Amino acid sequence: MTFTVAILGRPNVGKSTLFNRLVGQKIAIVDDTPGVTRDRREGEARIADLHFRLFDTAGLDDAAKGSLAQRMSAQSMDAAKLADVILLVMDARAGVTPTDREFAQRVRKLGKPVLLVGNKAESKAALPGLGEAHSLGFGEPIAISAEHAEGLDGLYEALAPFAKKQSHDDAEEEQDAEDEEGENPKRPLKLAIIGQPNAGKSTLVNAMLGEERMLTGPEAGITRDAIVNDWSWKGREIKLWDTAGIRRKSRVQAKVEKLSVADALRAIRFAECVVVLIDATLPIERQDLTLCDLVAREGRAVVLALSKWDAVEDKTGTLREVNSKMEDVLPEIRGVPVVTLSAMQGRGIDKLMKAVFDADRRWNIRITTSKLNRWLEGALERNAPPAPSGRRIKIRYATQANARPPTFAIFGNQLNKLPESYLRYLMNGLRADFGLDGVPIRFSLRGGKNPYEEK
């Protein structure tokens, strides 16, 4: 591994803007509102040929004990303890504030190397603030503008010694990684946890990781960024996303929440399997089913998880209601696995991951053309296609065009007139006979002759 850098500072000094600049992607939500970032975000950063692991943090805040702000600040300090070097960011235009001085003292007590960064230094208005920065006791401040990509050469020179210090260890670890990759070439599974606000997504992610990695609490909507965590389960590497709660579109008004929802939707598109988490202590809502439908339309494998199961009194009735609504409203992904769990008690995670791996296996399934056409022949015999205007639709053959999700090309005549009900018949048959429960199935209807027919 390369060396690790943590970005700290008071709220709204441009930490997330700097993070996005160094990782080369706009993956951290940025807004003028102070305190947008809450959870620690990690990324692979680069300045020219200098590579390092980077933590974006909520920053430091002097807040009441037990408050959300205090929990955010505590998590920032945890990130600082893991880092090899700290970038203490200040707003060069605003100059040194009493809050900057207080946090400088807290960071100094960690005993870590600290580089003082004066952000927003793109104009002469920042010169007085940069002069004041010497009083913090961290030497010459590095003047940058994260938004305009100015001053990164100075940051490069300041960070380069830490890369040289670890170069020998890096070479050894890279060789180890190559050896491990040769033994286990399996790619990481991309798994996202989504749901409405306060469904318990961050609590579940913490239980899966075995540490208080994500901020949790009684407040709804704590998570704002979609945070990816590297994790492994029984030898399988996993990219695990925790996401912000997704409310009904009509209820999302605030700019920051819109950005959070957009980030969650992006995580769904990156994922391969998505766990839709529902608070089992509340009646299942239309929005819960809408989220399942959204995942299916994106072509991802779906697992439905009922959280807070320890607090549910009528367990049988709750399961019956959920399964009934899924069958009625979302027949196109019939058979979605439903798992019950209690993240607070650490129960049900084994069942959840088994369902996830099973869904991923079905999502990646490949059916040979010969086996598929034997099945199709029987399906056509049992229920022949209709004959609109007296001319019967003819299905000649089928082949699997793709996996992830399973996509089948159907060849024949007048397929544009094939009713939705008949396609649903074929879809349900495939699902039942090839074990594709809960996986979205797609059809591609094509005209043309059967290349397997004898001439």
Side-chain angles (χ1 to χ4, degrees):
M1 292 178 62
T2 56
F3 68 102
T4 304
V5 178
I7 303 174
L8 269 73
R10 62 181 176 83
N12 216 31
V13 294
K15 297 184 297 297
S16 292
T17 303
L18 177 58
F19 176 85
N20 286 343
R21 176 65 63 186
L22 295 178
V23 300
Q25 301 179 62
K26 292 184 178 181
I27 55 177
I29 294 177
V30 176
D31 191 69
D32 292 336
T33 307
V36 169
T37 302
R38 288 178 172 174
D39 290 289
R40 182 179 83 220
R41 181 187 279 278
E42 301 179 21
E44 296 298 329
R46 180 175 70 89
I47 309 176
D49 61 346
L50 188 65
H51 296 259
F52 50 95
R53 189 74 173 161
L54 186 64
F55 294 153
D56 182 25
T57 70
L60 304 172
D61 205 340
D62 189 14
K65 188 175 181 180
S67 67
L68 175 59
Q70 186 273 331
R71 300 199 303 274
M72 291 161 56
S73 184
Q75 195 178 75
S76 298
M77 293 301 288
D78 289 341
K81 292 173 184 176
L82 295 172
D84 297 305
V85 58
I86 296 169
L87 298 184
L88 181 60
V89 182
M90 58 166 285
D91 183 339
R93 292 182 303 194
V96 176
T97 67
T99 307
D100 290 322
R101 296 186 188 281
E102 180 183 344
F103 294 153
Q105 291 296 326
R106 290 171 61 180
V107 170
R108 186 176 285 106
K109 291 178 181 178
L110 293 174
K112 300 272 186 174
V114 178
L115 300 178
L116 182 60
V117 177
N119 191 27
K120 308 180 185 180
E122 62 271 15
S123 68
K124 293 181 179 179
L127 293 178
L130 293 172
E132 293 176 9
H134 290 82
S135 65
L136 295 177
F138 295 115
E140 182 78 21
I142 305 167
I144 70 165
S145 171
E147 185 174 357
H148 298 94
E150 296 177 5
L152 297 183
D153 53 342
L155 190 57
Y156 174 94
E157 292 177 2
L159 288 172
F162 298 96
K164 293 177 182 178
K165 182 180 178 182
Q166 295 210 359
S167 60
H168 179 69
D169 293 338
D170 286 351
E172 291 183 352
E173 291 184 9
E174 283 177 10
Q175 183 61 50
D176 292 342
E178 288 177 6
D179 295 342
E180 290 177 7
E181 188 175 348
E183 296 174 2
N184 182 21
K186 229 175 182 183
R187 56 175 177 75
L189 170 65
K190 299 174 183 176
L191 175 63
I193 313 292
I194 71 167
Q196 295 201 67
N198 223 24
K201 299 180 293 299
S202 295
T203 303
L204 173 59
V205 170
N206 284 343
M208 296 166 84
L209 297 176
E211 61 173 300
E212 293 299 311
R213 174 66 178 78
M214 311 303 301
L215 280 171
T216 60
E219 306 92 342
I222 289 178
T223 302
R224 283 177 169 167
D225 291 276
I227 305 294
V228 61
N229 301 276
D230 292 321
W231 183 50
S232 65
W233 179 262
K234 295 187 176 179
R236 179 71 184 274
E237 295 299 316
I238 297 172
K239 295 283 186 181
L240 177 63
W241 271 272
D242 182 24
T243 64
I246 306 176
R247 298 194 296 167
R248 274 194 326 215
K249 191 174 181 179
S250 60
R251 293 183 180 178
V252 179
Q253 301 296 332
K255 179 183 176 183
V256 171
E257 186 176 1
K258 288 180 180 179
L259 293 171
S260 297
V261 170
D263 212 26
L265 298 178
R266 194 178 303 114
I268 294 173
R269 289 191 288 271
F270 279 127
E272 297 164 331
C273 183
V274 178
V275 174
V276 180
L277 194 66
I278 297 176
D279 185 343
T281 63
L282 302 174
I284 186 169
E285 297 181 3
R286 180 77 189 187
Q287 176 66 0
D288 298 316
L289 302 175
T290 299
L291 292 178
C292 292
D293 182 56
L294 171 65
V295 175
R297 282 190 281 112
E298 288 291 342
R300 304 301 181 253
V302 189
V303 173
L304 190 65
L306 305 182
S307 67
K308 309 177 186 180
W309 193 245
D310 54 304
V312 175
E313 295 182 1
D314 184 9
K315 292 179 167 54
T316 302
T318 300
L319 270 177
R320 188 186 304 116
E321 178 191 6
V322 170
N323 286 315
S324 175
K325 288 194 175 181
M326 290 291 291
E327 289 290 322
D328 292 343
V329 181
L330 298 172
E332 62 273 14
I333 49 172
R334 180 171 295 156
V336 168
V338 180
V339 179
T340 61
L341 55 87
S342 171
M344 289 291 290
Q345 298 181 352
R347 296 180 181 176
I349 294 176
D350 283 345
K351 291 189 299 180
L352 176 64
M353 293 311 300
K354 182 180 185 304
V356 165
F357 287 154
D358 287 345
D360 180 62
R361 177 185 53 78
R362 294 192 296 270
W363 192 62
N364 283 278
I365 197 169
R366 287 280 185 179
I367 303 172
T368 63
T369 299
S370 58
K371 185 181 294 186
L372 183 62
N373 280 282
R374 283 196 298 270
W375 169 85
L376 179 62
E377 184 179 350
L380 295 176
E381 286 179 0
R382 290 189 297 272
N383 183 10
S389 303
R391 185 183 175 193
R392 184 169 297 282
I393 297 172
K394 187 169 184 180
I395 296 178
R396 299 180 183 278
Y397 76 106
T399 185
Q400 184 171 355
N402 213 337
R404 303 159 60 90
T407 302
F408 301 93
I410 300 176
F411 292 80
N413 294 336
Q414 302 188 90
L415 296 184
N416 60 321
K417 297 181 181 179
L418 204 59
E420 189 67 31
S421 59
Y422 196 81
L423 289 174
R424 185 67 51 80
Y425 161 70
L426 294 177
M427 185 180 296
N428 289 338
L430 282 167
R431 202 180 300 283
D433 294 339
F434 292 102
L436 297 176
D437 288 343
V439 175
I441 295 175
R442 291 177 173 171
F443 288 131
S444 174
L445 306 180
R446 306 176 186 177
K449 295 182 179 180
N450 185 351
Y452 299 99
E453 285 183 351
E454 294 183 4
K455 296 183 179 179

